[in-house]
Amino acid sequence: MNALPRKIETVANVCIIVVAIIVCVAAVRYFRTKASGSKAPTPAIAAGTKINLPNEDWARNRQTLLLALSTQCKYCSASAEFYQRLVNTTSSNTKLVAVLPQSPEESQQYLTGLKVTIKDIQQISPPALGVRATPTLILIDSAGTVINSWVGKLPPDKEEEVLTAVR
């Protein structure tokens, strides 16, 4: 009779150990999946990359800032205040060009709604420029070569970096 309680205790201990192992494995899988599922920041376009934009003569300007946007991009809309400052502080040495996948008319309406006045608007698919995400800002020299680029809704220090580059 004394053996039965020991057997029950042993079975209970084995069950507790098995449940603990299952919980640990589930926790590891959950956190590993969550960590690998989190998106890494989209890489910017590397300096030195040549950009081919139809209808654009890079040599006519010392530098050009491309704003790769989309009317469907919430981060583009959220960055409107920064783009307004950008338009107002850009020197005459830097040309601003907005490139969007939507039609020029729809793009113009979108930018007007954001109170961002950019005269040169071109319709082009972002991947055609090597852009993987919008918004992407690309600073290009007079030879059509990328000087610098910035991706996403920029934090204040990166906004200042862009503003300094176009003054």
mmCIF file of all heavy atoms in Angstrom, residues 55-87:
data_model
loop_
_atom_site.group_PDB
_atom_site.id
_atom_site.type_symbol
_atom_site.label_atom_id
_atom_site.label_comp_id
_atom_site.label_asym_id
_atom_site.label_seq_id
_atom_site.Cartn_x
_atom_site.Cartn_y
_atom_site.Cartn_z
ATOM 1 N N ASN A 55 13.497 61.735 -68.432
ATOM 2 C CA ASN A 55 13.148 63.161 -68.496
ATOM 3 C C ASN A 55 13.895 64.016 -67.480
ATOM 4 O O ASN A 55 13.454 65.115 -67.171
ATOM 5 C CB ASN A 55 11.639 63.378 -68.311
ATOM 6 C CG ASN A 55 10.812 62.563 -69.279
ATOM 7 O OD1 ASN A 55 11.189 62.423 -70.435
ATOM 8 N ND2 ASN A 55 9.715 62.008 -68.807
ATOM 9 N N GLU A 56 14.985 63.507 -66.943
ATOM 10 C CA GLU A 56 15.739 64.303 -65.966
ATOM 11 C C GLU A 56 17.175 64.461 -66.442
ATOM 12 O O GLU A 56 17.859 63.487 -66.711
ATOM 13 C CB GLU A 56 15.704 63.651 -64.588
ATOM 14 C CG GLU A 56 16.182 64.548 -63.485
ATOM 15 C CD GLU A 56 15.350 65.815 -63.339
ATOM 16 O OE1 GLU A 56 14.106 65.734 -63.328
ATOM 17 O OE2 GLU A 56 15.960 66.896 -63.237
ATOM 18 N N ASP A 57 17.609 65.711 -66.544
ATOM 19 C CA ASP A 57 18.978 66.032 -66.921
ATOM 20 C C ASP A 57 19.693 66.482 -65.650
ATOM 21 O O ASP A 57 19.570 67.626 -65.225
ATOM 22 C CB ASP A 57 18.991 67.139 -67.983
ATOM 23 C CG ASP A 57 20.392 67.498 -68.437
ATOM 24 O OD1 ASP A 57 21.353 66.778 -68.067
ATOM 25 O OD2 ASP A 57 20.524 68.505 -69.159
ATOM 26 N N TRP A 58 20.417 65.557 -65.048
ATOM 27 C CA TRP A 58 21.075 65.824 -63.767
ATOM 28 C C TRP A 58 22.047 66.995 -63.860
ATOM 29 O O TRP A 58 22.217 67.742 -62.910
ATOM 30 C CB TRP A 58 21.816 64.582 -63.271
ATOM 31 C CG TRP A 58 20.968 63.362 -63.159
ATOM 32 C CD1 TRP A 58 21.109 62.200 -63.859
ATOM 33 C CD2 TRP A 58 19.841 63.152 -62.292
ATOM 34 N NE1 TRP A 58 20.147 61.295 -63.498
ATOM 35 C CE2 TRP A 58 19.355 61.845 -62.534
ATOM 36 C CE3 TRP A 58 19.188 63.932 -61.353
ATOM 37 C CZ2 TRP A 58 18.269 61.314 -61.876
ATOM 38 C CZ3 TRP A 58 18.092 63.399 -60.689
ATOM 39 C CH2 TRP A 58 17.638 62.111 -60.941
ATOM 40 N N ALA A 59 22.691 67.142 -64.997
ATOM 41 C CA ALA A 59 23.737 68.164 -65.161
ATOM 42 C C ALA A 59 23.182 69.590 -65.086
ATOM 43 O O ALA A 59 23.948 70.527 -64.863
ATOM 44 C CB ALA A 59 24.457 67.954 -66.489
ATOM 45 N N ARG A 60 21.892 69.764 -65.225
ATOM 46 C CA ARG A 60 21.308 71.117 -65.173
ATOM 47 C C ARG A 60 21.289 71.685 -63.760
ATOM 48 O O ARG A 60 21.048 72.882 -63.585
ATOM 49 C CB ARG A 60 19.899 71.090 -65.739
ATOM 50 C CG ARG A 60 19.887 70.710 -67.220
ATOM 51 C CD ARG A 60 18.519 70.766 -67.790
ATOM 52 N NE ARG A 60 18.212 72.181 -68.028
ATOM 53 C CZ ARG A 60 17.017 72.635 -68.305
ATOM 54 N NH1 ARG A 60 16.004 71.817 -68.368
ATOM 55 N NH2 ARG A 60 16.818 73.912 -68.522
ATOM 56 N N ASN A 61 21.523 70.862 -62.762
ATOM 57 C CA ASN A 61 21.487 71.313 -61.363
ATOM 58 C C ASN A 61 22.707 70.788 -60.623
ATOM 59 O O ASN A 61 23.217 69.719 -60.933
ATOM 60 C CB ASN A 61 20.217 70.788 -60.677
ATOM 61 C CG ASN A 61 18.975 71.237 -61.393
ATOM 62 O OD1 ASN A 61 18.643 72.408 -61.398
ATOM 63 N ND2 ASN A 61 18.298 70.301 -62.046
ATOM 64 N N ARG A 62 23.134 71.555 -59.641
ATOM 65 C CA ARG A 62 24.261 71.098 -58.826
ATOM 66 C C ARG A 62 23.902 69.801 -58.119
ATOM 67 O O ARG A 62 24.685 68.866 -58.054
ATOM 68 C CB ARG A 62 24.663 72.173 -57.815
ATOM 69 C CG ARG A 62 25.947 71.842 -57.063
ATOM 70 C CD ARG A 62 26.408 72.980 -56.174
ATOM 71 N NE ARG A 62 25.529 73.219 -55.049
ATOM 72 C CZ ARG A 62 25.574 72.558 -53.899
ATOM 73 N NH1 ARG A 62 26.457 71.607 -53.716
ATOM 74 N NH2 ARG A 62 24.732 72.845 -52.927
ATOM 75 N N GLN A 63 22.678 69.757 -57.589
ATOM 76 C CA GLN A 63 22.183 68.528 -56.964
ATOM 77 C C GLN A 63 20.663 68.504 -57.050
ATOM 78 O O GLN A 63 20.024 69.540 -57.219
ATOM 79 C CB GLN A 63 22.670 68.378 -55.520
ATOM 80 C CG GLN A 63 22.235 69.462 -54.566
ATOM 81 C CD GLN A 63 22.830 69.264 -53.174
ATOM 82 O OE1 GLN A 63 23.789 68.529 -52.977
ATOM 83 N NE2 GLN A 63 22.253 69.915 -52.191
ATOM 84 N N THR A 64 20.116 67.304 -56.927
ATOM 85 C CA THR A 64 18.669 67.098 -56.997
ATOM 86 C C THR A 64 18.265 66.235 -55.816
ATOM 87 O O THR A 64 18.945 65.259 -55.493
ATOM 88 C CB THR A 64 18.285 66.384 -58.313
ATOM 89 O OG1 THR A 64 18.745 67.167 -59.413
ATOM 90 C CG2 THR A 64 16.791 66.177 -58.427
ATOM 91 N N LEU A 65 17.154 66.603 -55.183
ATOM 92 C CA LEU A 65 16.605 65.774 -54.118
ATOM 93 C C LEU A 65 15.325 65.143 -54.634
ATOM 94 O O LEU A 65 14.354 65.842 -54.932
ATOM 95 C CB LEU A 65 16.318 66.589 -52.852
ATOM 96 C CG LEU A 65 15.794 65.769 -51.669
ATOM 97 C CD1 LEU A 65 16.869 64.799 -51.159
ATOM 98 C CD2 LEU A 65 15.320 66.667 -50.538
ATOM 99 N N LEU A 66 15.357 63.813 -54.781
ATOM 100 C CA LEU A 66 14.162 63.067 -55.168
ATOM 101 C C LEU A 66 13.388 62.711 -53.915
ATOM 102 O O LEU A 66 13.956 62.194 -52.950
ATOM 103 C CB LEU A 66 14.527 61.771 -55.885
ATOM 104 C CG LEU A 66 15.145 61.839 -57.266
ATOM 105 C CD1 LEU A 66 15.358 60.426 -57.807
ATOM 106 C CD2 LEU A 66 14.303 62.647 -58.215
ATOM 107 N N LEU A 67 12.097 62.972 -53.944
ATOM 108 C CA LEU A 67 11.211 62.542 -52.871
ATOM 109 C C LEU A 67 10.358 61.424 -53.437
ATOM 110 O O LEU A 67 9.438 61.673 -54.221
ATOM 111 C CB LEU A 67 10.321 63.689 -52.384
ATOM 112 C CG LEU A 67 10.995 64.774 -51.563
ATOM 113 C CD1 LEU A 67 11.658 65.785 -52.463
ATOM 114 C CD2 LEU A 67 9.996 65.454 -50.662
ATOM 115 N N ALA A 68 10.689 60.189 -53.132
ATOM 116 C CA ALA A 68 9.927 59.035 -53.588
ATOM 117 C C ALA A 68 8.794 58.816 -52.595
ATOM 118 O O ALA A 68 9.014 58.405 -51.455
ATOM 119 C CB ALA A 68 10.817 57.807 -53.696
ATOM 120 N N LEU A 69 7.582 59.141 -53.041
ATOM 121 C CA LEU A 69 6.415 59.119 -52.170
ATOM 122 C C LEU A 69 5.319 58.271 -52.799
ATOM 123 O O LEU A 69 5.452 57.797 -53.923
ATOM 124 C CB LEU A 69 5.897 60.553 -51.965
ATOM 125 C CG LEU A 69 6.908 61.604 -51.524
ATOM 126 C CD1 LEU A 69 6.286 62.991 -51.569
ATOM 127 C CD2 LEU A 69 7.434 61.293 -50.139
ATOM 128 N N SER A 70 4.234 58.112 -52.067
ATOM 129 C CA SER A 70 3.042 57.460 -52.588
ATOM 130 C C SER A 70 1.831 58.050 -51.881
ATOM 131 O O SER A 70 1.890 58.338 -50.676
ATOM 132 C CB SER A 70 3.089 55.948 -52.336
ATOM 133 O OG SER A 70 1.851 55.359 -52.698
ATOM 134 N N THR A 71 0.754 58.214 -52.615
ATOM 135 C CA THR A 71 -0.467 58.739 -52.004
ATOM 136 C C THR A 71 -1.047 57.750 -51.001
ATOM 137 O O THR A 71 -1.855 58.130 -50.159
ATOM 138 C CB THR A 71 -1.535 59.048 -53.082
ATOM 139 O OG1 THR A 71 -1.870 57.839 -53.760
ATOM 140 C CG2 THR A 71 -1.040 60.088 -54.063
ATOM 141 N N GLN A 72 -0.626 56.494 -51.076
ATOM 142 C CA GLN A 72 -1.124 55.446 -50.186
ATOM 143 C C GLN A 72 -0.265 55.259 -48.939
ATOM 144 O O GLN A 72 -0.539 54.404 -48.108
ATOM 145 C CB GLN A 72 -1.185 54.108 -50.943
ATOM 146 C CG GLN A 72 -1.945 54.171 -52.245
ATOM 147 C CD GLN A 72 -3.384 54.606 -52.062
ATOM 148 O OE1 GLN A 72 -4.087 54.084 -51.200
ATOM 149 N NE2 GLN A 72 -3.811 55.589 -52.830
ATOM 150 N N CYS A 73 0.789 56.055 -48.802
ATOM 151 C CA CYS A 73 1.772 55.875 -47.729
ATOM 152 C C CYS A 73 1.446 56.762 -46.529
ATOM 153 O O CYS A 73 1.505 57.986 -46.628
ATOM 154 C CB CYS A 73 3.168 56.197 -48.287
ATOM 155 S SG CYS A 73 4.463 56.264 -47.041
ATOM 156 N N LYS A 74 1.146 56.130 -45.409
ATOM 157 C CA LYS A 74 0.806 56.918 -44.213
ATOM 158 C C LYS A 74 2.018 57.673 -43.674
ATOM 159 O O LYS A 74 1.880 58.741 -43.101
ATOM 160 C CB LYS A 74 0.189 56.025 -43.136
ATOM 161 C CG LYS A 74 1.126 55.003 -42.523
ATOM 162 C CD LYS A 74 0.417 54.171 -41.472
ATOM 163 C CE LYS A 74 1.361 53.147 -40.870
ATOM 164 N NZ LYS A 74 0.698 52.322 -39.869
ATOM 165 N N TYR A 75 3.223 57.140 -43.880
ATOM 166 C CA TYR A 75 4.423 57.825 -43.403
ATOM 167 C C TYR A 75 4.749 59.047 -44.260
ATOM 168 O O TYR A 75 5.295 60.025 -43.771
ATOM 169 C CB TYR A 75 5.611 56.860 -43.343
ATOM 170 C CG TYR A 75 5.339 55.694 -42.417
ATOM 171 C CD1 TYR A 75 5.134 54.424 -42.921
ATOM 172 C CD2 TYR A 75 5.239 55.887 -41.045
ATOM 173 C CE1 TYR A 75 4.855 53.360 -42.076
ATOM 174 C CE2 TYR A 75 4.957 54.835 -40.190
ATOM 175 C CZ TYR A 75 4.763 53.566 -40.715
ATOM 176 O OH TYR A 75 4.469 52.527 -39.878
ATOM 177 N N CYS A 76 4.391 58.971 -45.535
ATOM 178 C CA CYS A 76 4.558 60.130 -46.420
ATOM 179 C C CYS A 76 3.655 61.263 -45.922
ATOM 180 O O CYS A 76 4.091 62.411 -45.793
ATOM 181 C CB CYS A 76 4.200 59.768 -47.864
ATOM 182 S SG CYS A 76 5.255 58.499 -48.593
ATOM 183 N N SER A 77 2.407 60.940 -45.650
ATOM 184 C CA SER A 77 1.456 61.940 -45.160
ATOM 185 C C SER A 77 1.878 62.471 -43.799
ATOM 186 O O SER A 77 1.783 63.677 -43.538
ATOM 187 C CB SER A 77 0.051 61.338 -45.068
ATOM 188 O OG SER A 77 -0.385 60.918 -46.349
ATOM 189 N N ALA A 78 2.369 61.592 -42.949
ATOM 190 C CA ALA A 78 2.794 62.011 -41.606
ATOM 191 C C ALA A 78 4.030 62.909 -41.650
ATOM 192 O O ALA A 78 4.297 63.637 -40.693
ATOM 193 C CB ALA A 78 3.075 60.784 -40.743
ATOM 194 N N SER A 79 4.766 62.869 -42.761
ATOM 195 C CA SER A 79 5.979 63.678 -42.900
ATOM 196 C C SER A 79 5.713 65.019 -43.586
ATOM 197 O O SER A 79 6.657 65.758 -43.888
ATOM 198 C CB SER A 79 7.033 62.906 -43.696
ATOM 199 O OG SER A 79 7.369 61.703 -43.041
ATOM 200 N N ALA A 80 4.455 65.356 -43.823
ATOM 201 C CA ALA A 80 4.100 66.565 -44.584
ATOM 202 C C ALA A 80 4.723 67.828 -43.993
ATOM 203 O O ALA A 80 5.240 68.674 -44.741
ATOM 204 C CB ALA A 80 2.589 66.711 -44.658
ATOM 205 N N GLU A 81 4.707 67.972 -42.699
ATOM 206 C CA GLU A 81 5.266 69.178 -42.074
ATOM 207 C C GLU A 81 6.758 69.313 -42.392
ATOM 208 O O GLU A 81 7.245 70.405 -42.696
ATOM 209 C CB GLU A 81 5.038 69.124 -40.559
ATOM 210 C CG GLU A 81 5.314 70.430 -39.861
ATOM 211 C CD GLU A 81 4.966 70.349 -38.377
ATOM 212 O OE1 GLU A 81 3.806 70.010 -38.054
ATOM 213 O OE2 GLU A 81 5.870 70.618 -37.562
ATOM 214 N N PHE A 82 7.471 68.207 -42.353
ATOM 215 C CA PHE A 82 8.893 68.228 -42.698
ATOM 216 C C PHE A 82 9.073 68.598 -44.167
ATOM 217 O O PHE A 82 9.933 69.405 -44.520
ATOM 218 C CB PHE A 82 9.543 66.873 -42.405
ATOM 219 C CG PHE A 82 10.898 66.711 -43.029
ATOM 220 C CD1 PHE A 82 11.946 67.567 -42.717
ATOM 221 C CD2 PHE A 82 11.126 65.706 -43.956
ATOM 222 C CE1 PHE A 82 13.194 67.423 -43.309
ATOM 223 C CE2 PHE A 82 12.368 65.551 -44.550
ATOM 224 C CZ PHE A 82 13.405 66.416 -44.224
ATOM 225 N N TYR A 83 8.244 68.048 -45.064
ATOM 226 C CA TYR A 83 8.363 68.358 -46.491
ATOM 227 C C TYR A 83 8.070 69.839 -46.749
ATOM 228 O O TYR A 83 8.690 70.447 -47.615
ATOM 229 C CB TYR A 83 7.450 67.472 -47.338
ATOM 230 C CG TYR A 83 7.738 66.001 -47.192
ATOM 231 C CD1 TYR A 83 6.733 65.051 -47.238
ATOM 232 C CD2 TYR A 83 9.046 65.538 -46.994
ATOM 233 C CE1 TYR A 83 6.999 63.705 -47.101
ATOM 234 C CE2 TYR A 83 9.317 64.182 -46.852
ATOM 235 C CZ TYR A 83 8.292 63.281 -46.902
ATOM 236 O OH TYR A 83 8.561 61.952 -46.761
ATOM 237 N N GLN A 84 7.154 70.412 -45.997
ATOM 238 C CA GLN A 84 6.882 71.855 -46.125
ATOM 239 C C GLN A 84 8.135 72.651 -45.765
ATOM 240 O O GLN A 84 8.512 73.589 -46.484
ATOM 241 C CB GLN A 84 5.719 72.263 -45.215
ATOM 242 C CG GLN A 84 4.382 71.687 -45.624
ATOM 243 C CD GLN A 84 3.336 71.793 -44.524
ATOM 244 O OE1 GLN A 84 3.547 72.440 -43.499
ATOM 245 N NE2 GLN A 84 2.204 71.144 -44.728
ATOM 246 N N ARG A 85 8.776 72.288 -44.663
ATOM 247 C CA ARG A 85 10.022 72.972 -44.270
ATOM 248 C C ARG A 85 11.096 72.759 -45.320
ATOM 249 O O ARG A 85 11.861 73.670 -45.647
ATOM 250 C CB ARG A 85 10.513 72.458 -42.914
ATOM 251 C CG ARG A 85 9.704 72.951 -41.752
ATOM 252 C CD ARG A 85 10.342 72.728 -40.376
ATOM 253 N NE ARG A 85 11.480 71.864 -40.320
ATOM 254 C CZ ARG A 85 11.532 70.698 -39.680
ATOM 255 N NH1 ARG A 85 10.486 70.254 -39.035
ATOM 256 N NH2 ARG A 85 12.623 69.968 -39.678
ATOM 257 N N LEU A 86 11.159 71.574 -45.862
ATOM 258 C CA LEU A 86 12.148 71.231 -46.875
ATOM 259 C C LEU A 86 11.985 72.120 -48.111
ATOM 260 O O LEU A 86 12.955 72.691 -48.616
ATOM 261 C CB LEU A 86 12.000 69.757 -47.249
ATOM 262 C CG LEU A 86 12.994 69.159 -48.222
ATOM 263 C CD1 LEU A 86 14.409 69.192 -47.639
ATOM 264 C CD2 LEU A 86 12.612 67.723 -48.532
ATOM 265 N N VAL A 87 10.753 72.268 -48.576
ATOM 266 C CA VAL A 87 10.478 73.115 -49.740
ATOM 267 C C VAL A 87 10.888 74.555 -49.448
ATOM 268 O O VAL A 87 11.470 75.230 -50.305
ATOM 269 C CB VAL A 87 8.981 73.030 -50.134
ATOM 270 C CG1 VAL A 87 8.610 74.118 -51.122
ATOM 271 C CG2 VAL A 87 8.655 71.656 -50.690
#
